[in-house]
Amino acid sequence: MPTVKLSDTAVNDAVLVVGLAKKDGRSFSLVIESGDITLDTKSLLSALKDMAATGNPDEVIKLPGNSVRLLVFTGLGKKKATYSHETLRRAAGAASRSLHGNISATFSLPTPDLDSVGAVAEGAALGAYSFVTFMGSTKSDHSKPISKITVHTSFAKTKGAKAIAKRSEVIATFSHLVRDLVNTPPSHLNPISFVEIIKKEIAGAGGSKSGLKVSVLDEKQLRAQGYGGITGVGQGSANPPRLLHISYSPANPKGSYALVGKGITFDSGGLNLKPGLGMQAMKSDMGGAAAICAVTLAIATLKLPVGIEAWAPLAENMVSDTATRPGDIVTIYGGKTVEVLNPDAEGRLVLADALVRAVEVGHAGKPLHGIIDVATLTGAQGIALGTRTSAVMTNDDEFRQLFLSAADQSGESFWPMPLPQELRPSLDSPVADLANIGERLGGMLVAGLFLREFVPEGLPWLHLDIASPAYNEGAAHGYTSVGGTGVSLRSILTFVESLT
Ligand code: BES
Ligand code: MN
Ligand code: ZN
């Protein structure tokens, strides 16, 4: 994991990253944005011009330096008096990604306040990621990401500087954990190994000394205690399901929230088998579970004074003679029955169990202040919002607004989506309390309406559908690598911080 430090002394590094922007005006011109480091801009700009540099986001240009070995220019887009935090994050991330093979780099970008410094640090740390666990003979061809990040800033010795550096390290560490879990294929990640990995992480984060407790229900306990959703989805697989529960109890918490994450370690579609293409990304179907576990660890590591109950229903949705058949009826924890018309709509079944249980348990013997579920729930999410914008649905507009402003601050793109009442009857079943599929059009909203049935009225609830954004099937960009992205972690963390 990369370490982050802030410095206000002369650059003592082999690699220096600075910004490159383009000026508005009649003729095209570039401007170097190197914070408070002075460079020989005249000769550099003429070299950059010769190279047809644009200063666009995701453009990274490297030149040999004088006082440093390598000067790296990262595009900021249009010249601004102040750049948004997300522009800085992405520019630092793009540069960081291009520096695999180097050990360290110093980033000097325009950072007029400490939060901008944090954004640069965060982007740089998030970009310093690669997933080579399963590279065999070609492993040595893949160079390591940078491990030492220095952000050059006059704020280096101010109050709050240390905390900002630490926060960016924590964000990167736990975003990378989410990415690793998502990238790990189902041959190496199933409900049992997911639990083992998280248990190790909890121990590494200090375990009970940090206020963390973990408990797990196995398939026998799940069956005996009436978790028909998790059991029904998991019963077709040789890898049995689990319900993982992490509890974080700080002293004097300012509120308590449950986080529930969909943990399908592989979604074949079950007997509604997905076509080949539709199955390729389905190792990412535990992205919600990974995010809520990792953010709980991040919250505990930062010692935030908010109680968290994280619930990860884990199962593998497979095809076999024991798999749930279309038309089977399962009983969700708490007694509601569901006709499983389509075993590929499995996420909502495991989430329903976990939502009901999370509400029943509350936090420290008291009711929750809110509950957030995170799920790679529907293909319809990607149809509606594309690959980089996640959806948020709710029963409480005020709660959603708090979350959306935290998401905005964190640089993650979330967009509010409705839960139209007229779609609800499409989930009626002639033989059970509910069917697991309804109207096809607005499928993301129908899934949200299904989940709402398992949340008591009056309890503020958010449903985050991160189906496409959780897994980047395109090219890397900004601080986002290929594969698992870690999305929702930063929004939830920033939301929890906003409560304190
Ligand atoms: N895991 C999928 C949703 C998904 C699709 C995530 C694409 C990421 C990328 C989910 O379990 C699913 O299969 N949903 C079905 C629901 C339908 C049967 C109502 C879907 O969206 O097609
Ligand atoms: Mn499915
Ligand atoms: Zn799924």
Side-chain angles (χ1 to χ4, degrees):
M1 284 304 151
T3 58
V4 174
K5 69 174 209 268
L6 311 184
S7 162
D8 58 3
T9 56
V11 177
N12 175 25
D13 212 329
V15 180
L16 174 63
V17 177
V18 300
L20 185 65
K22 52 180 168 193
K23 262 193 198 146
D24 255 346
R26 225 171 285 179
S27 64
F28 179 80
S29 72
L30 293 166
V31 48
I32 293 171
E33 295 276 31
S34 51
D36 36 52
I37 287 179
T38 330
L39 296 170
D40 176 9
T41 44
K42 203 164 161 227
S43 66
L44 287 171
L45 281 173
S46 72
L48 287 164
K49 205 175 154 210
D50 291 344
M51 297 176 78
T54 64
N56 285 335
D58 274 313
E59 179 186 73
V60 176
I61 293 177
K62 294 170 191 163
L63 294 175
N66 288 327
S67 57
V68 291
R69 192 161 51 78
L70 201 64
L71 254 181
V72 181
F73 297 87
T74 187
L76 289 164
K78 275 202 183 128
K79 156 98 184 121
K80 296 264 165 66
T82 49
Y83 295 91
S84 78
H85 292 157
E86 183 61 3
T87 299
L88 295 171
R89 225 179 254 119
R90 290 184 189 183
S96 171
R97 270 194 306 105
S98 80
L99 288 169
H100 291 8
N102 290 275
I103 291 164
S104 66
T106 293
F107 291 73
S108 187
L109 289 153
T111 48
D113 53 40
L114 203 49
D115 284 338
S116 305
V117 175
V120 170
E122 221 179 283
L126 285 167
Y129 175 79
S130 71
F131 185 72
V132 294
T133 314
F134 297 96
M135 296 293 179
S137 53
T138 63
K139 196 165 202 148
S140 56
D141 305 350
H142 298 269
S143 34
K144 282 204 178 95
I146 52 170
S147 58
K148 284 187 194 148
I149 292 160
T150 304
V151 182
H152 188 84
T153 165
S154 58
F155 294 100
K157 296 197 182 78
T158 59
K159 191 171 163 273
K162 277 226 171 72
I164 274 283
K166 163 95 177 171
R167 180 179 186 274
S168 62
E169 279 178 4
V170 169
I171 284 181
T173 298
F174 291 107
S175 298
H176 292 177
L177 172 62
V178 181
R179 292 174 176 184
D180 283 350
L181 286 165
V182 167
N183 291 336
T184 302
S187 50
H188 293 75
L189 188 78
N190 56 49
I192 291 174
S193 56
F194 187 107
V195 166
E196 289 318 310
I197 293 170
I198 296 298
K199 277 188 170 170
K200 272 200 202 111
E201 290 287 336
I202 290 173
S208 55
K209 271 190 273 144
S210 304
L212 291 164
K213 268 204 303 231
V214 59
S215 64
V216 184
L217 296 182
D218 66 19
E219 73 274 24
K220 280 199 198 113
Q221 295 165 313
L222 289 167
R223 196 176 292 279
Q225 294 173 34
Y227 292 89
I230 301 171
T231 306
V233 172
Q235 73 190 27
S237 171
N239 296 305
R242 292 288 183 267
L243 177 59
L244 171 63
H245 175 209
I246 312 169
S247 174
Y248 168 60
S249 308
N252 311 313
K254 299 197 172 93
S256 64
Y257 290 81
L259 307 174
V260 179
K262 173 178 173 182
I264 301 298
T265 53
F266 183 69
D267 182 9
S268 72
L271 285 168
N272 274 80
L273 196 63
K274 288 181 184 295
L277 262 182
M279 223 187 281
Q280 275 177 19
M282 284 305 122
K283 67 174 179 179
S284 68
D285 214 17
M286 31 52 69
I292 61 111
C293 291
V295 78
T296 303
L297 289 164
I299 290 164
T301 304
L302 292 170
K303 300 186 168 63
L304 298 178
V306 177
I308 301 290
E309 301 285 335
W311 296 86
L314 301 159
E316 193 179 50
N317 191 22
M318 295 296 275
V319 192
S320 75
D321 57 350
T322 58
T324 295
R325 295 153 289 245
D328 277 358
I329 294 177
V330 301
T331 305
I332 301 301
Y333 186 78
K336 280 203 172 86
T337 57
V338 178
E339 183 184 13
V340 183
L341 289 173
N342 187 332
D344 196 14
E346 83 297 340
R348 60 197 75 182
L349 300 172
V350 302
L351 288 169
D353 271 345
L355 283 166
V356 176
R357 179 62 178 155
V359 172
E360 180 181 71
V361 169
H363 176 76
K366 294 207 187 92
L368 301 164
H369 292 87
I371 186 164
I372 303 177
D373 76 69
V374 187
T376 49
L377 204 58
T378 65
Q381 177 282 325
I383 306 287
L385 294 171
T387 54
R388 298 193 191 173
T389 300
S390 304
V392 48
M393 285 149 268
T394 190
N395 60 0
D396 184 316
D397 290 352
E398 216 174 297
F399 187 24
R400 180 174 61 194
Q401 202 40 55
L402 289 177
F403 176 81
L404 280 173
S405 58
D408 187 50
Q409 225 180 301
S410 79
E412 291 184 337
S413 175
F414 276 85
W415 200 255
M417 281 289 165
L419 293 171
Q421 196 51 41
E422 68 273 16
L423 291 176
R424 169 60 189 83
S426 71
L427 285 165
D428 286 341
S429 160
V431 290
D433 297 332
L434 277 171
N436 80 327
I437 55 167
E439 167 80 54
R440 198 177 66 85
L441 299 178
M444 166 169 59
L445 321 178
V446 173
L449 284 162
F450 180 93
L451 294 178
R452 192 178 70 180
E453 295 295 313
F454 299 90
V455 178
E457 228 166 282
L459 175 63
W461 159 70
L462 301 178
H463 162 50
L464 313 181
D465 194 337
I466 59 167
S468 286
Y471 191 71
N472 177 18
E473 294 186 80
H477 56 91
Y479 49 77
T480 305
S481 41
V482 171
T485 62
V487 75
S488 81
L489 181 142
R490 287 183 290 132
S491 296
I492 297 174
L493 179 67
T494 309
F495 166 72
V496 168
E497 287 171 328
S498 77
L499 301 167
T500 65

